[in-house]
């Protein structure tokens, strides 16, 4: 934000070096950790060390401090800076807080919804997430994955990467065949009734129960699978039709959650290429074919010469020649890189699959794919629900996502009605939706993805704690101040000299957004943005409680209105990255 001033200072320091007979080298600038004032710093150790190398008898730290002091005196009072000091071999330059704040605000207001966006990086990243299985329900257990994957994609995109949002649908496997068997035998010709998700799920639960109760079921299901494998046209047609029902249900969920995908992959499409790959692996002696008595395996540790059990053995084909999860994953990874010039391929998958993912990545590396190093498993932990609600689609004890969303919205509606009875009912409903869905998303993102998170209503809907409604409410508050001020903002006023601590703290958080977005993108951590959004809301509320805006005297009122508008923008931009709506009123 003070690039010109920094360049001017650097030039002067060069002159100072030249006059002292020191050769030229680029200065390293860092920002000084914020402690109520912003500034930059550079050290003179390199210069001192250079003198020492040239044969001068000097103590480097002492000489560095000497040089820093001389540079300070040489610079005097450089433009744009309020204070210059020489400490322990460093030259620290501090900006005028009011001027710094004005520039931050200027930037935010000018860039608006693009504030924090990084320059395009010419790097393509694929994020594979969600990956639901057809013929089963989409339940609460799947939620953290979608929300994390989507937020990571948003963050990467905003940071400047080209993002491919990929889904990988589990549309084939024993679970699908069980469902089909039950449908053909007991529900033939039926159409989904009422809630698609629930209907599909209920039939799955029923199929699973029959699987244990009815003898002979297993054999029949296997036979059905063999028919599918043999491309039986009637069966394929029914499979396609029923699969579509599930996909339609998923689309509704993605729509509700505001999530979208660029590319859908299907497990069924990876079967054939996967099996071909297995043959290649056998030919290349990477895999051992133990059929018909055993499966096809890759002894990873043995190949790598590892003593300890690190990668163990990966099974890549069943003894009866049918494909496994791994068969398809190997083929899928290759397909992704064939289709897109990826610099990174990220898999958002349950932490329990960590060893498996490492086995897949290692196998691809052994096959010689240079991009194997660019594969990354973004692991996440489970979500606990209060009351120990189990989340098994087999036992039918799942909490359907729809039910959770409905409950969130109805709880939110109650609160909104109480807080804002004047709002018209349609608006109340819309706000309740934004708040309800935000309340579900935020707890999934505000804890490290590798840590178990507990979801409970009280925390999720807390208007006073670290929760989406609290952040959304800060946005609403900012909005209402601006509305009361008449809508349009006054132009910047240069006359304000001093800032209050609450103002400085708020400006500091707003200024952090671009850097924090880069860091969150580099480390795939939506948590950092979730935390920043909360810190921003808190700093805004502190400011709101300590600094009158509308009733302040003109220069202050002018500055504060512009600060409020910047805070509102920073809140909205960070919420957008998390996939959480920022309502105008609530
Ligand atoms: N559909 C799988 C499941 O529900 C998850 C797929 C994860 N993605 C992958 N490339 N293996 O367990």
């Amino acid at each position: 934000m003070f690039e010109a001033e920094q360049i001017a200072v650097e030039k002067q320091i060069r002159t100072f070096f030249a006059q002292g007979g020191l050769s030229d080298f680029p200065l390293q600038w860092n920002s000084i950790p914020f402690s109520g004032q912003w500034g930059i710093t550079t050290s003179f150790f390199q210069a001192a060390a250079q003198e020492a190398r040239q044969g001068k008898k000097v103590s480097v730290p002492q000489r560095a401090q000497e040089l820093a002091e001389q540079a300070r005196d040489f610079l005097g009072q450089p433009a744009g800076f309020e204070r210059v000091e020489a400490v322990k071999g460093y030259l620290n330059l501090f900006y005028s807080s009011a001027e710094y704040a004005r520039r931050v605000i200027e930037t935010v207001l000018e860039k608006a919804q693009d504030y924090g966006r990084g320059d395009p990086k010419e790097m393509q990243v694929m994020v594979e997430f969600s990956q639901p299985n057809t013929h089963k329900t989409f339940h609460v257990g799947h939620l953290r994955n979608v929300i994390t994957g989507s937020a990571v994609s948003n963050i990467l995109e905003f940071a400047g990467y080209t993002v491919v949002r990929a889904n990988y649908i589990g549309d084939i496997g024993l679970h699908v065949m069980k469902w089909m068997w039950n449908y053909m035998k007991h529900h033939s010709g039926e159409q989904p009734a009422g809630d698609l998700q629930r209907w599909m799920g209920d039939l799955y639960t029923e199929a699973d129960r029959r699987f244990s109760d009815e003898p002979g079921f297993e054999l029949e299901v296997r036979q059905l699978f063999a028919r599918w494998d043999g491309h039986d046209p009637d069966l394929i047609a029914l499979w396609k039709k029923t699969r579509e029902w599930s996909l339609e249900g998923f689309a509704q969920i993605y729509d509700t959650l505001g999530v979208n995908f660029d590319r859908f992959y299907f497990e069924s499409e990876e079967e054939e290429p996967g099996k071909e790959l297995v043959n290649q692996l056998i030919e290349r002696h990477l895999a051992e074919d133990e059929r018909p008595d055993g499966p096809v395996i890759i002894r990873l540790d043995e190949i790598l010469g590892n003593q300890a059990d690190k990668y163990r053995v990966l099974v890549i084909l069943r003894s009866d020649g049918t494909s496994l999860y791994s068969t398809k994953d190997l083929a899928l990874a290759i397909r992704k890189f064939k289709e897109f010039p990826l610099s990174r391929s990220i898999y958002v998958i349950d932490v329990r699959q960590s060893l498996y993912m490492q086995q897949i990545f290692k196998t691809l590396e052994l096959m010689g794919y240079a991009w194997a190093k660019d594969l990354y498993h973004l692991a996440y932990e489970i979500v606990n629900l209060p009351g120990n609600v189990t989340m098994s689609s087999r036992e039918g004890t799942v909490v359907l996502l729809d039910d959770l969303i409905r409950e969130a919205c109805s709880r939110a509606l109650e609160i909104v009605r109480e807080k804002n009875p004047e709002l018209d009912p349609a608006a109340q409903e819309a706000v309740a939706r934004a708040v309800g869905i935000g309340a579900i998303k935020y707890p999934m993102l505000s804890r490290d993805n590798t840590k178990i998170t507990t979801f409970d209503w009280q925390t999720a809907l807390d208007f006073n704690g670290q929760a989406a409604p609290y952040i959304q409410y800060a946005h609403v508050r900012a909005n209402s101040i601006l509305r009361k001020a008449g809508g349009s903002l006054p132009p910047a006023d240069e006359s304000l000299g001093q800032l209050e601590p609450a103002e400085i703290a708020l400006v500091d958080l707003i200024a952090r957004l671009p850097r924090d977005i880069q860091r969150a993108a580099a480390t795939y951590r939506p948590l950092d943005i979730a935390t920043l959004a909360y810190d921003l809301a808190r700093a805004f509320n502190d400011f709101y409680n300590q600094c009158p805006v509308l009733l302040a005297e003109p220069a202050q009122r002018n500055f504060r209105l512009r600060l409020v508008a910047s805070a509102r923008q920073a809140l909205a931009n960070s919420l957008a990255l998390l996939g959480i709506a920022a309502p105008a009123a609530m």
Side-chain angles (χ1 to χ4, degrees), residues 128-134 136 142 145 167-171 175 267 325-326 328-330 332-333 336 346-350 353 356-357 360 380:
E128 183 209 291
F129 63 102
S130 191
Q131 315 114 321
N133 297 323
T134 63
K136 277 190 178 180
H142 299 123
N145 184 321
N167 203 333
Y168 180 45
I169 308 283
D171 61 342
H175 74 277
E267 279 194 30
Y325 190 48
S326 56
K328 296 171 269 191
D329 254 324
L330 292 171
L332 175 67
K336 287 176 176 176
I346 300 171
Y347 295 74
V348 183
I349 298 183
D350 193 311
Q353 293 190 30
Y356 168 76
M357 291 317 297
I360 293 290
Y380 65 92

Side-chain angles (χ1 to χ4, degrees), residues 383-387 411 439 443 453-462:
V383 179
N384 272 336
L385 290 180
R411 281 173 185 260
T453 189
T454 299
F455 182 87
D456 71 87
W457 290 117
Q458 217 155 10
T459 316
L461 281 164
D462 194 351

